[in-house]
């Protein structure tokens, strides 16, 4: 595996062998451990000393299924702490096949300078002037890049929001249909890419330089056995291909935990119009697609393609969190508006969650009415143009709350919560508060434990411990380059042993089951250490006050944990 | 007792002639539990069912309330 180091001051590129200390660590493990070591924690996140690191997961480039996730890390301009956001699509697998462990971008070019980083089949890279693409939205950009450099390339890129260095800016990745609709959405990671003057990374998908598997036979046999587990699971084998992640709309509403109208209610009266079932029916009627393969080598197929009434493409893929942020949070029960907003976020290069919650805070402040279907589209136009209001919205819900002097902002470390109210699923509240990443639904989500009767969503027993273990699990899982949905099968009997066989056959190591947890702990410790050096304190591991003050109907409860209890979550 | 049941996920497809628009009204002996309802509907554990009534998840041993709206869906992970 190689590292590609790119300096944007001098426009120089160095390819080097991955140092021994980083061997056997991929994805989030690699980005977080490197950032903690190499980035001065007090640096300006949009300045020359921050580093933007694209790291392939451990299985990227192999024939393992669902193995095309790349982690992107940096100091976050949104949270002020460490950030890792990962994205599927085609780029993780493509980088792995080129034998690339990480691309590390540092420095900062002179203002207005814009480049593309183009990789070749030898795993080398060059910087190309990108002034002609300045201000371009992602769909048009990717079409142009494919026309010029070949449409077999995977692309990671930013839209106008990233160029403006807005704090909700995402990095978009191309999917299997060559559309930039997969997002490393969170933490303003796209703003860091914008600060580096990097518009896109172009990666050939037909590389042949992946590190060879140490024990191919065992690897292939364990891959097959693990795939059989995934297929046999009703969630991954049936539910996700049929409905995608919006299958969550029904259960979370029916448990009274779907934050809507800026988290003043928890059961959205229009939920049946925007549920996974309604979405699948609409998609079918209009000739779209459920069970879509969004990412390379995927066998689960959670993605979908949403068309308008005339059968014309609108967006892919409509996810649960977007349905919530653009729908329930804004009081909008219309899938066409939600899908349009999903497309606009991808095209402008924005996190749908941070943007939807920012709009909900504005509605809660009287800027527009809840349920106004035109308001979100108008706001997106402001963001794309970079107007004064647009820049406030593009910086996310905390910036909007500050502007309107409204403290009801559902965010932690300035990053919006996801689609689970911390009062209706209190363990998710613990994760939102204490995650090193700011509020995050992929950092330790407990919803399956509630639905599976392992925990009661409203009782304190077991929540702190299980949030901790889930956070450790997710840190480890984010390092593998596998989609989280594939990783969930590890809970099946004997699956952990099978997974260890895969790792050892891949690397020639002698990992044991406990090493999975050890890796997760090591990553979280590095992230916490960085956050501490960056000036974050226990006070940043708190939910906004209204979750402790305003009882949420229908259960009429508040978030019950004390500060001291939250402070104990990461006592590994 | 009578309860109205709505099915979500692929459960409705597995149990024809269930109509998702209307749901279905079911008569059960008084004192029936969530587990009894699953058994009556022939929904096995392997389909990972979860039952909600009055905004709460029911355990198999929890009693149903006469006249309640019951929703049955499948267990999901978030991500
Ligand atoms: S299940 Fe969904 S997110 Fe995961 S690899 Fe497949 S399409 Fe991508």
């Amino acid at each position: 595996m190689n590292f590609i180091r790119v300096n944007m001051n001098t426009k120089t590129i160095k390819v080097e062998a991955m140092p021994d200390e980083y061997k056997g660590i991929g994805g989030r493990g690699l980005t977080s451990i490197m950032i903690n070591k190499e980035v001065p924690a007090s640096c300006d996140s949009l300045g020359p000393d921050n580093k933007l690191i694209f790291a392939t997961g451990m299985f990227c480039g192999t024939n393992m299924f669902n193995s095309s996730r790349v982690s992107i890390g940096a100091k976050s301009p949104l949270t002020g702490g460490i950030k890792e956001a990962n994205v599927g699509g085609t780029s993780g697998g493509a980088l792995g096949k080129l034998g690339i462990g990480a691309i590390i971008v540092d420095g900062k070019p002179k203002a207005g300078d814009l480049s593309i980083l183009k990789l070749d089949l030898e795993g080398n890279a060059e910087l190309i002037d990108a002034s002609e693409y300045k201000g371009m939205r992602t769909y048009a950009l990717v079409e142009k890049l494919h026309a010029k450099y070949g449409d077999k390339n995977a692309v990671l890129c930013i839209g106008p929001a990233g160029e403006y260095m807005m704090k909700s800016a995402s990095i978009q990745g191309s999917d299997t249909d060559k559309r930039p609709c997969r997002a490393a959405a969170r933490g303003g990671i796209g703003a860091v890419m914008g600060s580096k003057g990097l518009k896109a990374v172009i990666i050939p998908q037909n590389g042949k330089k992946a590190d060879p598997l140490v024990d191919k036979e065992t690897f292939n046999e364990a891959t097959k056995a693990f795939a059989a587990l995934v297929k046999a699971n009703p969630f991954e084998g049936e539910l996700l291909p049929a409905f995608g992640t919006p299958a969550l709309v029904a259960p979370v509403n029916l448990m009274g935990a779907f934050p809507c109208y800026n988290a003043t209610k928890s059961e959205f009266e229009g939920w049946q119009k925007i549920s996974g079932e309604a979405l699948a029916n609409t998609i079918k009627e209009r000739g779209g697609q459920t069970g879509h393969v969004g990412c390379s080598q995927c066998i689960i197929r959670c993605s979908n393609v949403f068309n308008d009434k005339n059968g014309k493409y609108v967006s892919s893929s409509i996810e649960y969190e977007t349905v919530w942020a653009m729908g329930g949070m804004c009081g909008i029960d219309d899938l066409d508006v939600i899908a349009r907003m999903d497309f606009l976020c991808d095209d402008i290069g924005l996190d749908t969650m941070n943007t939807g919650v920012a709009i909900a805070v504005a509605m809660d402040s009287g800027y527009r009415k809840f349920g106004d279907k035109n308001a979100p589209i108008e706001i997106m136009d402001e963001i794309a143009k970079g107007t004064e209001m647009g820049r406030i919205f593009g910086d996310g819900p905390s910036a909007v709350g500050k502007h309107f002097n409204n403290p009801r902002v559902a965010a932690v470390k300035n990053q919006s919560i996801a689609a689970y109210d911390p009062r209706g699923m209190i363990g998710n509240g613990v994760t939102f508060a204490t995650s090193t990443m700011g509020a995050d639904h992929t950092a330790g989500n407990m919803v399956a434990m509630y639905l599976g009767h392992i925990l009661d969503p409203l009782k304190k027993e077991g929540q702190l411990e299980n949030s901790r273990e889930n956070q450790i699990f997710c840190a480890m899982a984010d390092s593998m380059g596998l989609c989280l949905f594939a990783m969930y099968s590890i809970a099946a009997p004997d699956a952990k042993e099978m997974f260890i066989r895969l790792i050892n056959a891949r690397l020639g190591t002698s990992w044991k089951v406990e090493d999975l947890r050890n890796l997760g702990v090591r990553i979280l410790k590095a992230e916490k250490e960085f956050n501490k050096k960056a000036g974050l304190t226990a006070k940043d591991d708190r939910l906004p006050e209204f979750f402790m003050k305003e009882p949420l109907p229908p259960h009429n409860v508040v978030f019950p944990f004390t500060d001291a209890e939250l402070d104990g979550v990461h006592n590994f | 007792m009578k309860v109205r049941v709505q099915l979500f996920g692929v459960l409705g497809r597995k149990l024809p002639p269930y109509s998702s628009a209307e749901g279905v009204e079911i008569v059960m002996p008084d004192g029936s539990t969530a587990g009894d309802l699953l058994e009556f509907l022939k929904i096995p554990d392997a389909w990972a069912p979860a039952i909600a009534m009055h905004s709460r998840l029911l355990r198999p041993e929890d009693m149903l309330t006469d006249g309640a709206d019951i929703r049955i869906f499948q267990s999901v992970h978030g991500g």
Side-chain angles (χ1 to χ4, degrees):
Chain A
M1 282 278 186
N2 282 340
F3 277 2
I4 300 179
R5 287 192 182 265
V6 183
N7 184 290
M8 299 306 292
N9 293 337
T10 55
K11 300 281 178 72
T12 48
I13 294 173
K14 208 170 95 192
V15 180
E16 61 184 33
M18 183 190 264
D20 284 346
E21 64 179 306
Y22 295 130
K23 283 193 177 141
I25 316 171
R28 174 171 164 189
L30 195 52
T31 60
S32 289
I33 290 167
M34 280 184 87
I35 286 162
N36 187 37
K37 188 169 173 213
E38 296 191 7
V39 175
S42 58
C43 75
D44 172 1
S45 56
L46 301 175
D49 293 337
N50 198 5
K51 295 190 183 188
L52 180 69
I53 304 180
F54 301 84
T56 50
M58 197 183 286
F59 291 103
C60 291
T62 71
N63 55 353
M64 175 73 176
F65 56 89
N66 289 53
S67 63
S68 190
R69 280 198 106 76
V70 58
S71 288
I72 311 178
K75 179 179 176 181
S76 163
L78 182 73
T79 69
I82 202 159
K83 174 54 56 185
E84 182 266 359
N86 58 65
V87 57
T90 51
S91 46
L95 285 167
K97 287 185 178 123
L98 293 174
I100 293 166
I103 302 171
I104 302 122
V105 184
D106 68 1
K108 183 169 177 153
K110 61 180 190 310
D113 197 300
L114 203 61
S115 302
I116 282 166
L117 184 71
K118 185 179 170 301
L119 276 58
D120 66 21
L121 283 171
E122 291 305 309
N124 293 317
E126 62 176 321
L127 283 166
I128 300 169
D129 177 66
S131 356
E132 63 186 294
Y133 307 115
K134 209 171 180 41
M136 199 172 271
R137 295 192 183 193
T138 67
Y139 271 73
L141 172 73
V142 168
E143 216 176 294
K144 285 215 180 309
L145 294 178
H146 277 150
K148 188 157 179 178
Y149 299 105
D151 69 359
K152 297 277 186 294
N153 287 293
V155 178
L156 291 166
C157 62
I158 56 169
E163 286 187 54
Y164 295 140
M165 293 181 263
M166 289 170 171
K167 290 178 185 167
S168 301
S170 60
I171 296 177
Q172 297 293 130
S174 54
D175 75 344
T176 51
D177 292 332
K178 309 177 174 73
R179 291 168 172 144
C181 58
R182 318 290 315 181
R186 310 231 73 193
I189 202 83
V192 181
M193 190 155 161
S195 76
K196 303 291 178 206
L198 195 57
K199 183 71 178 167
V201 182
I202 303 178
I203 313 152
Q205 289 190 62
N206 52 344
K208 300 217 168 5
K209 294 182 79 72
D211 273 8
L213 299 166
V214 173
D215 178 353
K216 199 170 168 185
E217 208 176 307
T218 306
F219 188 86
N220 289 343
E221 166 256 315
T223 299
K224 259 194 215 147
F226 206 68
L229 279 183
V230 169
K231 285 287 185 190
N233 180 309
F235 171 62
E236 286 127 352
E238 266 184 338
L239 209 58
L240 278 178
F243 304 105
T245 53
L248 278 154
V249 173
V252 180
N253 269 282
L254 294 171
M255 290 162 71
F258 190 74
C260 41
Y261 302 99
N262 198 33
T264 50
K265 291 183 176 180
S266 67
E267 287 170 302
F268 186 43
E269 59 276 17
W271 72 263
Q272 301 230 29
K273 291 192 196 162
I274 60 171
S275 66
E277 290 77 5
L279 178 71
N281 285 341
T282 308
I283 285 174
K284 197 170 158 206
E285 275 163 30
R286 297 175 179 185
Q289 196 183 348
T290 52
H292 175 245
V293 177
C295 314
S296 315
Q297 298 177 211
C298 172
I299 60 166
I300 297 175
R301 302 179 289 119
C302 82
S303 177
N304 56 54
V305 177
F306 187 95
N307 291 345
D308 67 13
K309 290 191 177 97
N310 303 315
K312 196 165 155 256
Y313 174 83
V314 177
S315 197
S316 173
S317 163
I318 313 301
E319 303 288 349
Y320 170 60
E321 307 294 340
T322 307
V323 169
W324 159 74
M326 300 300 178
M329 271 304 252
C330 297
I332 291 173
D333 61 4
D334 185 330
L335 283 171
D336 284 301
V337 176
I338 291 167
R340 178 78 190 142
M341 290 299 289
D342 184 63
F343 169 79
L344 288 171
C345 281
D346 289 346
D347 204 27
I348 297 164
L350 285 164
D351 174 4
T352 59
M353 286 171 266
N354 237 36
T355 307
V357 176
I359 296 169
V361 172
M363 288 175 162
D364 196 19
S365 311
Y367 180 68
R368 292 284 196 281
K369 282 201 168 59
F370 282 115
D372 179 340
K373 295 180 184 176
N374 296 321
I377 315 270
E378 286 163 22
I379 290 169
M380 293 303 280
D381 194 45
E382 300 271 328
I383 298 176
K385 285 185 187 138
T387 63
E388 205 184 328
M389 258 338 263
R391 282 177 191 265
I392 292 167
F393 278 103
D395 278 345
S398 298
V400 172
K402 197 169 161 207
H403 177 80
F404 290 111
N405 201 17
N406 183 351
R408 295 193 80 269
V409 178
V412 179
K413 302 179 183 75
N414 297 322
Q415 181 165 282
S416 81
I417 64 159
Y420 312 87
D421 196 295
R423 296 160 290 186
M425 286 191 191
I426 62 176
N428 276 21
V430 173
T431 300
F432 290 160
T434 58
S435 162
T436 49
M437 298 287 153
D440 191 320
H441 65 295
T442 61
N445 197 333
M446 320 268 279
V447 63
M449 304 194 91
Y450 304 136
L451 293 170
H453 296 302
I454 297 164
L455 291 178
D456 184 318
L458 301 175
K459 291 209 179 111
K460 286 174 83 172
E461 286 77 37
Q463 308 282 353
L464 298 165
E465 301 80 344
N466 279 289
S467 168
R468 174 196 305 129
E469 290 308 311
N470 272 339
Q471 291 188 50
I472 293 169
F473 169 80
C474 288
M476 177 279 292
D478 287 342
S479 303
M480 297 296 157
L482 300 179
C483 162
L484 200 50
F485 297 133
M487 286 300 296
Y488 285 138
S489 285
I490 212 169
D494 301 330
K496 285 199 179 67
E497 288 73 16
M498 202 183 283
F499 195 69
I500 287 296
R501 284 221 307 284
L502 273 167
I503 292 179
N504 290 334
R506 163 85 170 121
L507 300 172
T509 44
S510 47
W511 283 42
K512 298 189 181 59
V513 167
E514 57 268 29
D515 290 321
L516 294 173
R517 187 180 187 279
N518 293 341
L519 176 64
V521 170
R522 185 180 167 198
I523 295 165
L524 288 180
K525 280 186 172 167
E527 292 170 350
K528 283 196 77 74
E529 192 176 295
F530 183 89
N531 282 355
K532 196 171 168 199
K533 287 185 289 184
L536 297 184
T537 67
K539 285 204 179 71
D540 295 293
D541 288 346
R542 302 287 180 259
L543 294 176
E545 209 177 15
F546 76 90
F547 287 126
M548 276 79 78
K549 290 262 158 75
E550 296 177 19
L552 180 73
H555 305 300
N556 296 316
V557 289
V558 297
F559 181 70
F561 290 102
T562 63
D563 291 355
E565 284 170 324
L566 292 177
D567 292 344
V569 169
H570 286 162
N571 283 344
F572 305 115
Chain B
M1 64 174 357
K2 257 191 216 160
V3 288
R4 173 154 293 280
V5 175
Q6 251 188 307
L7 302 173
F8 294 90
V10 293
L11 294 177
R13 297 182 195 171
K14 283 176 186 275
L15 298 169
Y18 172 77
S19 142
S20 60
E22 291 148 33
V24 59
E25 198 168 79
I26 291 177
V27 181
M28 304 271 299
D30 284 352
S32 291
T33 64
D36 296 335
L37 179 62
L38 290 180
E39 212 176 302
F40 179 85
L41 290 168
K42 298 194 175 57
I43 297 177
D45 282 352
W47 295 355
I51 304 187
M53 181 179 77
H54 302 145
S55 306
R56 289 301 305 251
L57 290 173
L58 299 185
R59 292 177 174 273
E61 63 275 18
D62 290 336
M63 305 265 262
L64 305 177
T65 310
D66 187 26
D69 278 328
I70 311 268
R71 271 79 172 240
I72 310 180
F73 39 86
Q74 292 173 283
S75 189
V76 266
H77 284 275

